[in-house]
Amino acid sequence: MRVVLAAGTTRTAEIDGSSAAGAGSDALQHTPSADAELVEYGTTIRAPATPVSPTGCPTPALVTRAVRELVGFDLLVVDGGLAVPTGAPTMSVGAKPGRDVREADPVPTAPGAFVAARRLGRALPDDTLVVGETIPGGTTTAMAVMRALGEPWPVSSSLPVNPLDLKERVVADALDASNLDPGEAAHNPLLAARFVGDPVLATVAGLVAGALGSGTRVVLGGGTQLLAAAALVRHAGVAEPLTLATTPYLAADVGLDEAALALDVDVTVTDPGFEGAPEPLARMAAGEAKEGACMGGALWLAERAGDLDVVATQTLDSVDTDGW
Amino acid sequence: MRVVLAAGTTRTAEIDGSSAAGAGSDALQHTPSADAELVEYGTTIRAPATPVSPTGCPTPALVTRAVRELVGFDLLVVDGGLAVPTGAPTMSVGAKPGRDVREADPVPTAPGAFVAARRLGRALPDDTLVVGETIPGGTTTAMAVMRALGEPWPVSSSLPVNPLDLKERVVADALDASNLDPGEAAHNPLLAARFVGDPVLATVAGLVAGALGSGTRVVLGGGTQLLAAAALVRHAGVAEPLTLATTPYLAADVGLDEAALALDVDVTVTDPGFEGAPEPLARMAAGEAKEGACMGGALWLAERAGDLDVVATQTLDSVDTDGW
């Protein structure tokens, strides 16, 4: 068993009001690099601070790290287009930072990253991979990818109130900029990932396709970005079973059932019981950081190990709280 | 506690008869990439095969991996100048493959790698680091660095019979090519690492200097290459305690006591009891693969965990034997 964290960036995150995965535009580009360090080391070692939302809620990577301290999973960080170097060891699949999806060709490295990640997914020796992501702005690109594939499913948000109108406008502009009609990229996942997606979606889709194709069980740890990756995998013609392990906060934010049925994805929701816990966990429970950095996948692992009831305590105890 | 494996290359290894860390000149450049994969995954995933010596003895990385299965240490692979990409996640310190030490400026990336690795060593949050290396040809560059620093200590070999005459000639040529007299680089470790060293020595020396300077305990896991790194650290003015954890095969090959005393390094030798074990372990015990890929450091960890008596069985059981 191994957790694979695809960490990358898209300048789509710089659109005002689109992401809470960092305290501002400059901080946002550090978030995936910092998340990778937090899950690897339990502290940032090169990134300037622990990522927080504009309202001060810390990154879900802290929960993923706490679970790692409890259950001791192996970690592979894949560079899905990092904008600043991370202090965590990473594997390259050739992904570079994505540009704003409203540009004409925002992710030229997507096809190459998909192919290299698929090879990696085939080669990894584990019987189970739990795959997560960290990319600010990723729900907007996830929505654009869903629409390009002709998939009508909703996406969640890292913000307490999902800026859906804004996302719909960005997605419409993205499809326009690349001369794509909704549904035009059906059965052509590389087209969708490259022209309206982000480098993390391409990386995750390739990894998952490769792993499934070689008989590896895959659990997607996350929310609607992982569901968009699942859509890419299904549109690549890969039919093996897939599970999405997510948090109750994500599941409460957006209906997953219809999408999961349509994409043939089993959904499992694991509740860490953060309601009533001290800050900042209670804020997570209130929906301020619903998913990210494989939090849902980590909680699923904690439950399987019988450690779910101590995740809250471990998160508060074990993780460096600088920057909270 | 974390094991840091610096993996890199020097074209010095292509000098006929200088290294057994691979079955030939082409295989040699894959050895560090393969060793990193073996310790990370227990199998190669991108490298063409498990490295073997010209006589068929497999890499000591198998033992390090077996110990990892037993005691579960965290691993950080630092790219100390890999010639081919590895399937293991790596941290870059800017090191590039070293050229033949008989050229005038074989390791121009050494000063930059030293500084970046020192910063990494300072930043890592662990209370103990166990630092190892994998670089074919590294004992020749280690000897050249010792001489440039004015340190008279002998170096070991991955070959059953140490080609000392050949190494002495290469070292003399290396010093000539860079216009250095023996001892001229004393107290100037960057000069030695750059002009007669290799990128792994620069990386390890920087890491160790940074870690020691920030209060981290450092155990060098390896043989005379790590001793040369210790010499670089001492010549950088770093005086904190250092331990070298090595194998009985290395200790039998070369006297370590005087060098350890002179460099203020404690030596600890851990015997995994491979004599009489099945192939290929008995061949290791006979001196065909004395050290490398942090084998000595891993054995020290196994002993501390009370698992030393099962290392042989675990090595035979758990590791993919393709290519043996």
Side-chain angles (χ1 to χ4, degrees):
Chain A
M1 206 288 303
R2 187 177 308 270
V3 170
V4 183
L5 183 64
T9 55
T10 165
R11 297 195 68 167
T12 310
E14 295 174 14
I15 301 171
D16 269 353
S18 71
S19 174
S25 174
D26 184 56
L28 280 169
Q29 71 169 341
H30 289 283
T31 295
S33 302
D35 279 353
E37 293 174 16
L38 286 167
V39 183
E40 181 75 47
Y41 301 114
T43 183
T44 53
I45 72 162
R46 184 169 183 167
T50 296
V52 294
S53 74
T55 55
C57 189
T59 170
L62 299 185
V63 179
T64 306
R65 171 64 196 190
V67 172
R68 191 167 184 225
E69 306 238 335
L70 290 169
V71 310
F73 57 75
D74 284 327
L75 173 69
L76 170 61
V77 179
V78 179
D79 184 340
L82 291 169
V84 294
T86 179
T90 59
M91 175 83 194
S92 172
V93 291
K96 298 292 173 198
R99 291 191 286 265
D100 189 321
V101 278
R102 297 170 304 179
E103 295 184 30
D105 186 3
V107 201
T109 59
F114 180 91
V115 170
R118 190 174 56 190
R119 198 177 309 127
L120 176 63
R122 278 195 203 114
L124 287 172
D126 312 282
D127 46 18
T128 302
L129 294 181
V130 181
V131 182
E133 57 69 33
T134 167
I135 175 170
T139 57
T140 303
T141 43
M143 180 190 270
V145 161
M146 291 280 211
R147 299 300 172 271
L149 295 172
E151 300 287 351
W153 317 115
V155 295
S156 182
S157 172
S158 55
L159 289 157
V161 177
N162 196 341
L164 277 172
D165 287 352
L166 171 64
K167 285 182 185 171
E168 296 283 7
R169 281 201 306 279
V170 171
V171 168
D173 290 350
L175 290 165
D176 273 357
S178 292
N179 284 316
L180 279 176
D181 289 326
E184 194 178 337
H187 311 298
N188 196 336
L190 295 189
L191 191 68
R194 172 171 182 166
F195 288 101
V196 297
D198 64 56
V200 163
L201 281 174
T203 300
V204 170
L207 248 165
V208 172
L212 290 178
S214 65
T216 302
R217 178 185 184 193
V218 176
V219 176
L220 302 168
T224 47
Q225 290 162 258
L226 275 300
L227 215 50
L232 290 167
V233 168
R234 295 310 188 206
H235 282 256
V238 178
E240 279 83 0
L242 260 179
T243 298
L244 180 79
T246 195
T247 66
Y249 324 124
L250 189 288
D253 185 51
V254 59
L256 293 170
D257 291 351
E258 275 189 282
L261 193 65
L263 298 169
D264 192 20
V265 173
D266 283 324
V267 174
T268 177
V269 178
T270 311
D271 188 347
F274 286 174
E275 295 84 359
E279 292 292 333
L281 300 184
R283 298 174 67 166
M284 289 191 182
E288 285 191 55
K290 303 176 186 72
E291 246 304 355
C294 207
M295 179 178 171
L299 293 175
W300 176 80
L301 289 171
E303 181 161 55
R304 287 192 347 148
D307 288 329
L308 189 61
D309 56 332
V310 288
V311 169
T313 314
Q314 185 71 25
T315 305
L316 295 167
D317 281 1
S318 72
V319 182
D320 181 6
T321 57
D322 283 1
W324 283 23
Chain B
M1 208 289 304
R2 186 177 308 272
V3 170
V4 183
L5 183 64
T9 55
T10 165
R11 298 196 68 169
T12 309
E14 294 173 14
I15 301 171
D16 270 353
S18 71
S19 176
S25 174
D26 185 55
L28 280 171
Q29 71 170 342
H30 288 284
T31 295
S33 302
D35 279 352
E37 293 174 16
L38 287 167
V39 183
E40 181 74 47
Y41 302 115
T43 183
T44 53
I45 72 162
R46 183 168 185 169
T50 296
V52 294
S53 74
T55 55
C57 188
T59 171
L62 299 185
V63 179
T64 305
R65 170 64 194 190
V67 172
R68 190 166 184 225
E69 307 238 333
L70 290 170
V71 309
F73 58 75
D74 286 326
L75 175 68
L76 170 61
V77 179
V78 178
D79 183 341
L82 291 167
V84 295
T86 178
T90 58
M91 176 83 193
S92 171
V93 290
K96 299 291 172 199
R99 290 191 287 266
D100 189 319
V101 278
R102 297 170 302 178
E103 295 184 28
D105 186 3
V107 201
T109 59
F114 179 90
V115 169
R118 190 174 55 188
R119 198 178 306 126
L120 176 63
R122 278 194 204 116
L124 287 171
D126 311 282
D127 46 18
T128 302
L129 295 180
V130 181
V131 182
E133 57 69 36
T134 166
I135 176 169
T139 55
T140 305
T141 43
M143 180 192 270
V145 160
M146 291 279 211
R147 298 301 172 269
L149 294 172
E151 299 286 351
W153 318 115
V155 295
S156 182
S157 172
S158 55
L159 290 158
V161 177
N162 196 342
L164 277 172
D165 286 352
L166 171 63
K167 284 181 186 170
E168 297 281 7
R169 280 200 307 278
V170 172
V171 168
D173 289 349
L175 291 165
D176 272 356
S178 292
N179 284 314
L180 280 175
D181 289 327
E184 193 177 338
H187 311 298
N188 196 338
L190 296 188
L191 190 70
R194 174 171 183 168
F195 289 100
V196 297
D198 64 56
V200 163
L201 281 174
T203 300
V204 170
L207 248 165
V208 172
L212 290 178
S214 64
T216 302
R217 179 186 182 192
V218 176
V219 176
L220 303 167
T224 46
Q225 289 162 259
L226 274 302
L227 214 50
L232 289 168
V233 168
R234 295 309 188 207
H235 281 257
V238 178
E240 279 84 358
L242 261 178
T243 298
L244 180 81
T246 195
T247 67
Y249 325 125
L250 188 289
D253 185 49
V254 58
L256 293 170
D257 292 351
E258 274 188 283
L261 192 66
L263 297 169
D264 193 20
V265 173
D266 283 325
V267 175
T268 175
V269 179
T270 311
D271 187 349
F274 286 175
E275 293 85 359
E279 292 293 331
L281 300 185
R283 298 175 66 168
M284 289 192 183
E288 285 193 54
K290 301 176 188 73
E291 245 303 356
C294 207
M295 180 178 171
L299 293 174
W300 176 79
L301 288 172
E303 180 162 55
R304 285 189 353 147
D307 288 329
L308 188 61
D309 56 332
V310 289
V311 169
T313 314
Q314 185 70 26
T315 304
L316 295 167
D317 281 1
S318 72
V319 181
D320 180 7
T321 56
D322 282 1
W324 284 23

